[in-house]
Amino acid sequence: MEVNTKELQKELRHLDLLMKDWEEIQFNLYHQLEKATDHWQDERSRVFYDKIHTEKNNTDKVLNQLKDIQEIYQYLYESYHQFGTVIYCEVTERKKVFQKMEIYVENLKKIYVELNQVDTSFAYPESNSILEIRGKIALQLKNLNDLKNKIQSFLTRVEEIEKEVSLKTSKLQNILIEDFEF
Amino acid sequence: MHGAVINEEELKNDILVIESYEVDEQKVFSNMTQSLENCLLWYQSNSKTKLKEICSNLDMNLQTIHNNRQQYVEVLRNTIVHYHEMEEKVIKAMEREKNGG
């Protein structure tokens, strides 16, 4: 999974302007078409008028779908931008990453236990440095656990977002706009 | 005679305005298609398969809408032509009548 939130935000602003432009053009275009049926009045113009209304409903469906798509991208942007401007993550590698981290934690723990067994109750030249290293390892263990928790919650969040995106997109239906025949 | 059913001048003007909207709309469609493609580019994920499919369907529909717009103009143009032909037929019939059949 890779998201460029910065570019996505730029594109969403652009898309928003385009959609507003389209809405305005569409409104004016159908208004003008209705006006045209005022300047042409017979049986055919009435049929044309009705068909134009059906066409407007169809294009509204497309516009609404466009809004739904934009909403999904907006959701993606809002969900991911708190993590950074470019987010890359292999969610499928989650298990492997945590296994490796776990091995690292276990190794550090073993070293800590070994150092703990060294008697430092009396003063000798190395006792201070042993205590210092033991403290550093304890700190590293804590940092590593914090990092593991952060990665864990990040990956869980990514999975939640991706699940939500799948759910939102699965609700979108393909629309078929038919050719105008008169 | 035909003033009662079509106002040719106004209808011609309507056609011009509709065509100008159609040109503007086509530009917007083209930019929208590009924008949607870019959005897909900035989001790479397995979840986007359906999104991609919907965008491609939407693109196809925008193309159909654009083609339909051209059809509306075609209908309005043909209406003018149709009324001109009718007018000619009426004039010819009146001339024939005037010349004694």
Side-chain angles (χ1 to χ4, degrees), chain A residues 4-24:
Chain A
N4 189 323
T5 55
K6 199 178 170 186
E7 294 298 333
L8 200 57
Q9 186 190 28
K10 258 196 255 172
E11 213 53 65
L12 280 171
R13 282 186 188 145
H14 185 215
L15 191 61
D16 193 51
L17 291 176
L18 291 170
M19 279 162 61
K20 280 178 183 147
D21 281 353
W22 188 31
E23 257 186 308
E24 196 185 329

Side-chain angles (χ1 to χ4, degrees), chain A residues 52-140:
Chain A
I52 289 301
H53 271 261
T54 312
E55 287 279 308
K56 189 182 180 308
N57 290 337
N58 286 338
T59 48
D60 279 345
K61 279 184 203 163
V62 176
L63 184 63
N64 286 335
Q65 188 169 68
L66 199 60
K67 285 178 183 172
D68 289 340
I69 293 172
Q70 191 205 27
E71 208 183 288
I72 293 174
Y73 282 119
Q74 191 63 39
Y75 169 79
L76 275 167
Y77 166 72
E78 280 165 15
S79 307
Y80 280 122
H81 94 280
Q82 56 180 306
F83 296 118
T85 47
V86 181
I87 299 120
Y88 175 80
C89 156
E90 286 286 349
V91 187
T92 49
E93 297 290 301
R94 182 187 186 130
K95 208 176 164 184
K96 232 187 259 178
V97 170
F98 281 102
Q99 272 173 350
K100 276 184 187 169
M101 284 186 97
E102 210 47 60
I103 292 169
Y104 194 50
V105 168
E106 284 310 310
N107 286 339
L108 275 178
K109 272 183 188 167
K110 275 182 200 164
I111 296 169
Y112 184 79
V113 168
E114 277 174 30
L115 281 172
N116 234 2
Q117 285 164 354
V118 179
D119 187 0
T120 52
S121 59
F122 63 98
Y124 54 93
E126 293 85 4
S127 63
N128 273 347
S129 64
I130 288 170
L131 283 170
E132 199 181 310
I133 290 168
R134 207 171 67 187
K136 279 181 184 171
I137 288 174
L139 187 68
Q140 287 299 311

Side-chain angles (χ1 to χ4, degrees), chain B residues 4 6 16 19 26 29 48 61-64 69 71 73 89 95-96 101:
Chain B
I6 71 160
L16 286 177
E19 276 180 326
Q26 176 58 16
F29 281 179
K48 79 169 191 178
N61 283 328
L62 291 181
Q63 186 57 51
T64 310
R69 305 299 197 216
Q71 291 302 311
V73 173
K89 277 182 191 169
E95 274 173 4
R96 271 201 303 272

Side-chain angles (χ1 to χ4, degrees), chain A residues 26 30 58 82 149 169 178:
Chain A
Q26 211 195 179
Y30 282 109
N58 286 338
Q82 56 180 306
N149 290 339
T169 50
E178 287 177 4

